[in-house]
Amino acid sequence: MRSENESSGQKTRSFIEEARRSQIVASTVEVLAEAGFAQASLARIAKHAGVSKGVISYHFAGKDELMEEVVERTYAAVVKHVLARMEGVESATELLRTHVLAAAEHMRDHPAQLKALGEILVNLRTADGGLRYGVRTNEEVYRALESIYRLGQETGEFRTFDTRVMAVTHSAAVDDMFAYWTAHPGHDLDAHARELAGILERACAR
Amino acid sequence: MRSENESSGQKTRSFIEEARRSQIVASTVEVLAEAGFAQASLARIAKHAGVSKGVISYHFAGKDELMEEVVERTYAAVVKHVLARMEGVESATELLRTHVLAAAEHMRDHPAQLKALGEILVNLRTADGGLRYGVRTNEEVYRALESIYRLGQETGEFRTFDTRVMAVTHSAAVDDMFAYWTAHPGHDLDAHARELAGILERACAR
Amino acid sequence: MRSENESSGQKTRSFIEEARRSQIVASTVEVLAEAGFAQASLARIAKHAGVSKGVISYHFAGKDELMEEVVERTYAAVVKHVLARMEGVESATELLRTHVLAAAEHMRDHPAQLKALGEILVNLRTADGGLRYGVRTNEEVYRALESIYRLGQETGEFRTFDTRVMAVTHSAAVDDMFAYWTAHPGHDLDAHARELAGILERACAR
Amino acid sequence: MRSENESSGQKTRSFIEEARRSQIVASTVEVLAEAGFAQASLARIAKHAGVSKGVISYHFAGKDELMEEVVERTYAAVVKHVLARMEGVESATELLRTHVLAAAEHMRDHPAQLKALGEILVNLRTADGGLRYGVRTNEEVYRALESIYRLGQETGEFRTFDTRVMAVTHSAAVDDMFAYWTAHPGHDLDAHARELAGILERACAR
DNA sequence: AATGAATGAGCATTCATTCAT
DNA sequence: AATGAATGAATGCTCATTCAT
């Protein structure tokens, strides 16, 4: 009964099934953002979504798959937004600034998603006890950032430095900018992002 | 006949009790570092320590007190080490560099303690559901870093910038340096620290 | 589409859920009667009912709710039976006799229920350490008995006496009649009840 | 190493040991009266007494023996007081009245002891789950009361009635008089006792 | 496609008891 | 004679998961 499409690892899902999955993912994001990972039981998520607990088990192989779906969807949304903003920008300096500002932009508009993402990245573990995500998962981000830094070094905009260290620093600074904003809602996120872009530019400048 | 130390609200503990508390705290740190907060049950901690579950209840009022003890001891150790390294250093630039290097030094020698500390800060919650510590706990760190940055601005070593943003960035960069090193044990932590110090110096420089 | 009954704050329960609740309540009554309050753990009650421990938690918010349900159901049954027997009886003397005999009747048919009720009333405590029910719960009984005694005083059947003392005495005598019968199963409960009714009548007579 | 005195079932105890036992029994009575049987853990009793938990285990074979000692001592005190008051009284009617009033007198002066006694009688169980005391334990009381009632019947003061039923009723009425007073501290215990004596006299009168 | 019911393992905590000192 | 330390069983409760309907 499997369709050919499944060969790519994606199951074919009916419209209604897709809607349910989205609804449950949205509920999960909200519960994670409000109450944190430890309090995000399936019972609580189901209650928040207004469905029975069983429906989650029906649509997801287990809690882990649900959490992974949250990560994938949330992560994809950030990447999509940032890449769209970076489209057409050519100088490394501008790409750097655009990356920071675009990320902040998206954070500002989707705080719950990013709080939820943070909860999962820090807490979700595999059966063997190790973190399911973790710094290793940032590899993709590091590579993308490194390509910007290397571009700048090649064009002569940037001095010579260790691009991996700079990428880790950049990524950390953006993540914590958001965490700080979450903890201090009155904080001016956009101003922080502009200031941070300036810091990174100076750190890279010849 | 009470010693002066007792007047500060600290119960006097027998040598043997102190030893047990230390042993249990050490066990807790290791379990937290290996398996994360959610898996750090009293049963697991006790098993790791080679004692019965009841021993923990006997020596600590509850799990929360145990976790708070871990935070206090671990945090105190970091602060003590970094402050010791900073003693006698006078220029803001040198203080900045020293702070980064000293933090890296301590991380390298006590990776489990810092992993455990992070687990608790992010996960431990009060009865009302709020985080027991949380990003706000970083306030103390931010203040300390800001005082370095302000010193540099006053002495003219540093340009004008938002010291809070710089402190958040600094703190994040140091934390993730450690996380990256934990995930990639072959990574050269000290080189990373020196590179990071350079990045921060350039970001601050006039 | 909600029935009128639901408007009174009672959740609608499915047939199967009601059956389970009844089964668990019945099991609780039996365990309380046999082994007493302190031994009536959820584990023991579940085992007695032949279900898993979780079932109880699923159907009742907690142990307290279960115990309160036992009290409500059991108490309602006694009151219903005694009131039914008293219906239509008019003279105070006859009401007095009927009350004693009807209580004994019900005791004889539902000894476990009454034992269980007693266990809960005397032992169940609120979070603050006070008795959840306690002697004060008898107030309702005392009031009902006093109304009989006052009626007799008004009609001239009874002499003047302190109706509260008489009600407390009456209630105690009925309770211990049951306790004595429980401890001495060969004892003739109905004869005891008739004798007790005679004692109370003489005590009240002009 | 057993002394001859032990043959009577009583161990010889040093003065100091006796003092400790008394101190612990007194603490137990107070804790039982304040917090009830379920809350009367050895830890709480020891804390109340200002001694370590181990000392209780040292002086008593176990919690049960401690509770039994409380019952014995408390019970002996009541009996002693009531018998003293009854000494020299000759008519059954007077003995009856004296018994009720003397019990109330003692209750009034030792409320904690009697609250504690009640807690134990109702809650303490043997290993097989049955009540350690219970109505059966009242047998001694019933016999004593019956002897009064029979005396009255023989002297012609009292009518013919079932002395056992009367004894159970009498005992119950006295016990609940105290329970009512415990629950309603403002209640006039002595007035209640006089009223109850009147009730019993009328119930017995020819 | 969805549900309500049930399970059983795991949780933190309490407690009577034991024992070396 | 007394203690502090330790034990391990038991308690009420939570939760992800399973399953018949």
Side-chain angles (χ1 to χ4, degrees):
Chain A
M1 291 292 287
R2 297 175 139 239
S3 79
E4 299 92 285
N5 296 5
E6 295 178 39
S7 57
S8 65
Q10 298 255 347
K11 291 195 203 112
T12 303
R13 294 197 225 278
S14 70
F15 171 76
I16 197 165
E17 178 164 7
E18 198 51 54
R20 266 277 188 257
R21 286 176 69 95
S22 294
Q23 176 198 14
I24 292 164
V25 166
S27 255
T28 306
V29 165
E30 283 158 27
V31 172
L32 283 167
E34 281 169 20
F37 190 85
Q39 302 301 318
S41 66
L42 291 192
R44 186 161 180 171
I45 292 165
K47 192 177 179 184
H48 188 104
V51 299
S52 80
K53 247 188 331 177
V55 81
I56 299 180
S57 298
Y58 183 79
H59 287 287
F60 295 89
K63 194 178 188 181
D64 287 1
E65 198 208 302
L66 170 58
M67 292 297 169
E68 285 162 13
E69 184 85 5
V70 171
V71 171
E72 274 175 40
R73 295 194 182 212
T74 305
Y75 192 74
V78 188
V79 169
K80 186 181 166 191
H81 181 263
V82 172
L83 288 184
R85 277 282 185 279
M86 289 170 70
E87 194 138 289
V89 177
E90 299 210 338
S91 85
T93 309
E94 271 311 299
L95 282 171
L96 178 56
R97 168 167 293 266
T98 302
H99 191 276
V100 173
L101 297 182
E105 232 173 39
H106 194 264
M107 282 169 177
R108 196 204 324 108
D109 296 343
H110 305 90
Q113 280 187 22
L114 286 144
K115 181 75 167 51
L117 187 59
E119 288 288 325
I120 298 175
L121 296 187
V122 167
N123 285 293
L124 190 63
R125 294 181 173 259
T126 53
D128 65 19
L131 282 175
R132 170 70 179 77
Y133 299 100
V135 181
R136 279 208 130 82
T137 311
N138 286 342
E139 190 59 31
E140 204 179 329
V141 176
Y142 295 151
R143 296 242 167 102
L145 293 173
E146 283 182 308
S147 72
I148 298 176
Y149 289 121
R150 268 198 302 270
L151 173 67
Q153 289 175 334
E154 285 159 15
T155 63
E157 291 169 76
F158 294 165
R159 65 178 176 97
T160 303
F161 51 79
D162 183 317
T163 57
R164 178 50 59 115
V165 169
M166 187 64 82
V168 171
T169 302
H170 177 147
S171 169
V174 169
D175 287 353
D176 275 28
M177 167 175 67
F178 171 65
Y180 189 84
W181 175 60
T182 299
H184 304 82
H187 188 60
D188 185 339
L189 180 62
D190 291 320
H192 188 135
R194 287 191 301 273
E195 182 85 20
L196 175 56
I199 287 171
L200 291 171
E201 280 170 24
R202 280 171 181 272
C204 296
R206 295 192 83 68
Chain B
M1 287 298 286
R2 298 175 139 244
S3 80
E4 296 93 280
N5 295 3
E6 298 175 38
S7 57
S8 64
Q10 302 245 355
K11 284 192 214 126
T12 303
R13 292 197 224 280
S14 68
F15 172 76
I16 196 164
E17 177 162 13
E18 197 51 53
R20 264 281 188 256
R21 285 178 71 95
S22 293
Q23 176 199 14
I24 292 165
V25 165
S27 195
T28 305
V29 164
E30 282 157 29
V31 172
L32 282 168
E34 281 169 22
F37 189 84
Q39 301 301 320
S41 67
L42 293 191
R44 185 158 179 173
I45 293 166
K47 193 176 178 185
H48 186 104
V51 298
S52 81
K53 252 189 325 176
V55 173
I56 300 180
S57 296
Y58 181 77
H59 288 285
F60 294 89
K63 192 178 188 179
D64 286 1
E65 198 207 299
L66 170 57
M67 291 298 169
E68 285 162 15
E69 184 90 4
V70 171
V71 170
E72 270 175 44
R73 295 193 183 211
T74 306
Y75 193 76
V78 188
V79 169
K80 186 181 166 192
H81 180 261
V82 173
L83 289 184
R85 277 282 183 280
M86 289 169 68
E87 192 137 292
V89 178
E90 299 211 338
S91 87
T93 309
E94 271 312 298
L95 281 170
L96 178 55
R97 169 166 292 268
T98 304
H99 191 277
V100 174
L101 298 182
E105 236 172 34
H106 194 263
M107 284 167 176
R108 195 189 46 222
D109 295 344
H110 307 282
Q113 279 187 21
L114 286 154
K115 186 73 174 48
L117 184 60
E119 288 287 326
I120 298 175
L121 295 187
V122 168
N123 285 293
L124 188 63
R125 288 171 183 267
T126 53
D128 64 20
L131 286 173
R132 171 71 178 80
Y133 299 99
V135 179
R136 291 181 179 281
T137 307
N138 288 338
E139 189 60 30
E140 206 177 327
V141 175
Y142 295 152
R143 296 240 167 105
L145 292 173
E146 282 182 309
S147 72
I148 297 177
Y149 289 120
R150 266 199 303 271
L151 173 68
Q153 290 175 333
E154 284 159 16
T155 62
E157 291 169 75
F158 295 163
R159 65 181 176 96
T160 304
F161 52 79
D162 183 317
T163 56
R164 176 53 56 118
V165 170
M166 188 63 83
V168 172
T169 302
H170 177 147
S171 168
V174 168
D175 287 352
D176 275 26
M177 167 176 68
F178 169 65
Y180 189 85
W181 172 66
T182 300
H184 304 83
H187 187 61
D188 184 338
L189 180 61
D190 291 321
H192 188 135
R194 287 191 301 272
E195 183 82 22
L196 176 56
I199 288 170
L200 292 170
E201 278 168 24
R202 280 170 182 274
C204 296
R206 296 198 140 272
Chain C
M1 290 298 286
R2 297 174 140 245
S3 80
E4 298 92 281
N5 295 5
E6 298 176 39
S7 58
S8 64
Q10 301 246 353
K11 283 192 214 126
T12 303
R13 291 197 225 277
S14 68
F15 172 76
I16 197 164
E17 177 162 11
E18 197 51 52
R20 263 281 186 259
R21 285 178 69 96
S22 294
Q23 177 199 13
I24 292 165
V25 166
S27 197
T28 306
V29 164
E30 284 158 27
V31 172
L32 281 167
E34 281 169 20
F37 189 86
Q39 301 301 318
S41 67
L42 294 191
R44 185 159 180 172
I45 292 165
K47 193 175 179 185
H48 187 102
V51 298
S52 81
K53 253 189 323 175
V55 173
I56 300 180
S57 295
Y58 181 78
H59 288 285
F60 295 89
K63 193 179 188 179
D64 286 1
E65 198 206 300
L66 170 57
M67 292 298 170
E68 284 161 15
E69 184 90 4
V70 171
V71 170
E72 271 175 42
R73 295 194 182 210
T74 306
Y75 193 74
V78 188
V79 169
K80 186 181 164 191
H81 181 263
V82 172
L83 288 184
R85 277 282 183 281
M86 289 169 69
E87 193 137 292
V89 178
E90 299 210 339
S91 86
T93 308
E94 271 311 298
L95 280 170
L96 179 55
R97 168 167 294 267
T98 302
H99 191 277
V100 173
L101 298 182
E105 232 172 37
H106 195 264
M107 284 167 173
R108 193 189 46 221
D109 296 343
H110 307 282
Q113 279 187 22
L114 286 153
K115 186 74 172 46
L117 185 59
E119 288 287 326
I120 298 175
L121 296 187
V122 168
N123 285 293
L124 189 64
R125 290 172 180 265
T126 53
D128 64 20
L131 285 173
R132 169 71 178 79
Y133 299 100
V135 179
R136 289 181 181 281
T137 307
N138 289 338
E139 189 60 30
E140 208 177 323
V141 175
Y142 295 152
R143 296 239 168 105
L145 292 174
E146 282 182 308
S147 72
I148 298 176
Y149 290 121
R150 267 197 302 270
L151 173 68
Q153 290 174 333
E154 284 160 15
T155 63
E157 291 169 75
F158 295 165
R159 65 179 176 95
T160 303
F161 52 79
D162 183 317
T163 57
R164 178 51 57 118
V165 170
M166 187 65 80
V168 171
T169 302
H170 177 147
S171 169
V174 169
D175 286 355
D176 275 28
M177 168 176 66
F178 170 65
Y180 189 86
W181 173 64
T182 299
H184 304 83
H187 188 61
D188 185 338
L189 180 61
D190 291 319
H192 188 135
R194 286 192 300 273
E195 182 84 19
L196 175 56
I199 287 172
L200 291 171
E201 278 169 26
R202 282 173 181 272
C204 295
R206 293 192 86 70
Chain D
M1 289 292 286
R2 297 173 142 243
S3 79
E4 298 93 284
N5 295 6
E6 293 178 43
S7 56
S8 65
Q10 300 254 351
K11 291 194 204 111
T12 303
R13 293 196 225 278
S14 70
F15 172 75
I16 197 164
E17 180 164 7
E18 198 52 52
R20 265 277 188 258
R21 285 178 68 96
S22 294
Q23 175 198 15
I24 292 164
V25 165
S27 256
T28 306
V29 164
E30 283 158 28
V31 171
L32 282 168
E34 283 169 20
F37 190 85
Q39 303 300 318
S41 65
L42 291 190
R44 187 161 177 170
I45 293 166
K47 192 176 178 186
H48 189 104
V51 299
S52 80
K53 246 186 335 173
V55 82
I56 298 181
S57 298
Y58 183 80
H59 287 286
F60 295 89
K63 194 180 188 179
D64 287 1
E65 198 208 302
L66 169 58
M67 292 297 168
E68 286 161 14
E69 184 85 5
V70 171
V71 170
E72 273 174 42
R73 295 194 180 211
T74 305
Y75 192 73
V78 188
V79 169
K80 185 180 167 194
H81 181 263
V82 173
L83 288 184
R85 278 282 184 280
M86 288 168 71
E87 194 139 291
V89 179
E90 300 212 338
S91 86
T93 309
E94 271 312 299
L95 282 169
L96 177 55
R97 167 166 294 266
T98 302
H99 190 276
V100 174
L101 298 182
E105 229 174 42
H106 194 264
M107 282 170 177
R108 197 205 323 109
D109 296 342
H110 304 89
Q113 279 186 22
L114 286 145
K115 181 79 168 50
L117 186 60
E119 288 287 325
I120 298 175
L121 296 187
V122 167
N123 285 294
L124 189 63
R125 292 180 174 260
T126 53
D128 65 19
L131 283 174
R132 171 69 179 78
Y133 299 99
V135 181
R136 278 207 132 81
T137 312
N138 287 342
E139 190 57 32
E140 203 179 328
V141 176
Y142 295 151
R143 297 243 167 99
L145 292 173
E146 282 181 310
S147 72
I148 298 177
Y149 289 120
R150 268 198 302 271
L151 173 66
Q153 290 175 331
E154 285 160 14
T155 62
E157 291 170 75
F158 296 164
R159 65 180 174 95
T160 303
F161 51 79
D162 183 317
T163 56
R164 178 51 59 116
V165 170
M166 188 64 81
V168 171
T169 302
H170 177 147
S171 169
V174 169
D175 286 354
D176 276 28
M177 165 175 70
F178 172 65
Y180 189 86
W181 175 60
T182 300
H184 305 84
H187 188 61
D188 185 338
L189 181 62
D190 291 320
H192 189 135
R194 286 192 300 272
E195 183 84 21
L196 176 56
I199 287 170
L200 291 170
E201 279 169 25
R202 281 171 181 272
C204 296
R206 295 198 142 273

